[in-house]
Amino acid sequence: MKINPFYGVALSVALYIAQPAVAQTGQTSASNAMMKSMQSGMNKMMSMKMTGDPDHDFAMMLKMHHQSAVEMADMEVKQGRNAQVKALASKIKVSNQKEIKELDQFLSSHKPQLSSSKLGQKGMEIMHSGTHSMNGNVDHDFASMMAQHHQQGIDMARAFLKEGKTEKMKAMANNVVKMQTKEMAELKKLESSLKS
């Protein structure tokens, strides 16, 4: 997959515009670090060589998606100030780390099957979808970015469920939809309460 050269420029402009008029230096740098982690995960996903096997490709993409969530949650736990947001970040980190181990086990035991699935391409489109808002408050910015991140994970899982073959990956995709839909509602509520 080729990386669109204009994407980096667009992200830089978005980061610049997202800065609050009066920056809270530590908070803003933490928010920017989360944004960079999210971008790094997308770049790594875009450089993955897709096999065409929907189960294998979904597992690879979901693992990278989860790793990005763990990094963002780590930053929130270390630099956030809101106890509710930090508690949710810790919960997200633990559940994602658990699933990363399961995905590693699946990837090491599942030999990709010859197939012509376009899930990898669809996954890339999904990763570039969605919006979030930043105001320089790390708790707000985490909630907003993670809500978008969760929506992308849900959309990717739903796309996979249309063509997935293995029961293990279908069960994981269903769990992603269920858990991340619930967490996304919490994240959006917290984002809204931290707007000002």
Side-chain angles (χ1 to χ4, degrees):
M1 284 254 154
K2 287 186 179 176
I3 296 174
N4 184 335
F6 298 106
Y7 188 69
V9 175
L11 180 69
S12 299
V13 170
L15 276 171
Y16 178 75
I17 292 170
Q19 298 305 311
V22 180
Q24 301 164 335
T25 311
Q27 294 273 297
T28 302
S29 63
S31 295
N32 286 344
M34 282 184 215
M35 176 69 92
K36 285 178 186 166
S37 174
M38 205 160 123
Q39 172 62 28
S40 172
M42 280 197 275
N43 287 343
K44 286 176 187 169
M45 212 179 283
M46 288 178 75
S47 66
M48 287 177 178
K49 185 168 171 51
M50 296 297 158
T51 66
D53 175 337
D55 295 272
H56 187 88
D57 293 351
F58 174 67
M60 282 195 312
M61 289 189 293
L62 189 61
K63 179 185 172 185
M64 185 57 61
H65 192 256
H66 280 3
Q67 285 172 335
S68 178
V70 167
E71 287 173 21
M72 290 164 64
D74 261 340
M75 289 178 220
E76 168 59 29
V77 169
K78 288 175 188 164
Q79 299 188 43
R81 295 179 181 167
N82 182 288
Q84 280 182 287
V85 181
K86 289 173 75 161
L88 184 53
S90 293
K91 182 179 157 192
I92 289 169
K93 178 182 174 181
V94 169
S95 64
N96 278 259
Q97 284 177 320
K98 178 180 176 282
E99 286 194 350
I100 287 169
K101 286 180 184 170
E102 292 173 30
L103 289 162
D104 279 335
Q105 289 170 354
F106 177 81
L107 287 166
S108 67
S109 65
H110 176 82
K111 186 179 175 191
Q113 306 299 307
L114 283 177
S115 180
S116 58
S117 168
K118 300 285 185 208
L119 183 68
Q121 183 180 344
K122 179 71 176 164
M124 298 308 153
E125 291 166 14
I126 290 167
M127 289 303 112
H128 289 97
S129 66
T131 58
H132 61 265
S133 65
M134 293 173 70
N135 67 9
N137 173 332
V138 69
D139 300 303
H140 166 275
D141 295 352
F142 170 79
S144 184
M145 281 187 268
M146 190 58 77
Q148 176 192 349
H149 195 261
H150 272 20
Q151 184 63 63
Q152 291 166 341
I154 292 163
D155 291 346
M156 191 165 55
R158 285 184 173 144
F160 164 73
L161 284 167
K162 291 176 182 172
E163 55 181 308
K165 308 276 188 258
T166 67
E167 290 309 313
K168 177 133 183 94
M169 282 301 101
K170 286 197 272 187
M172 186 168 283
N174 279 314
N175 189 56
V176 165
V177 171
K178 180 182 169 189
M179 294 306 296
Q180 293 197 359
T181 298
K182 184 179 173 214
E183 289 172 353
M184 194 169 67
E186 292 178 61
L187 288 160
K188 283 183 177 286
K189 193 173 173 184
L190 288 165
E191 175 189 3
S192 183
S193 72
L194 293 163
K195 269 189 178 162
S196 52

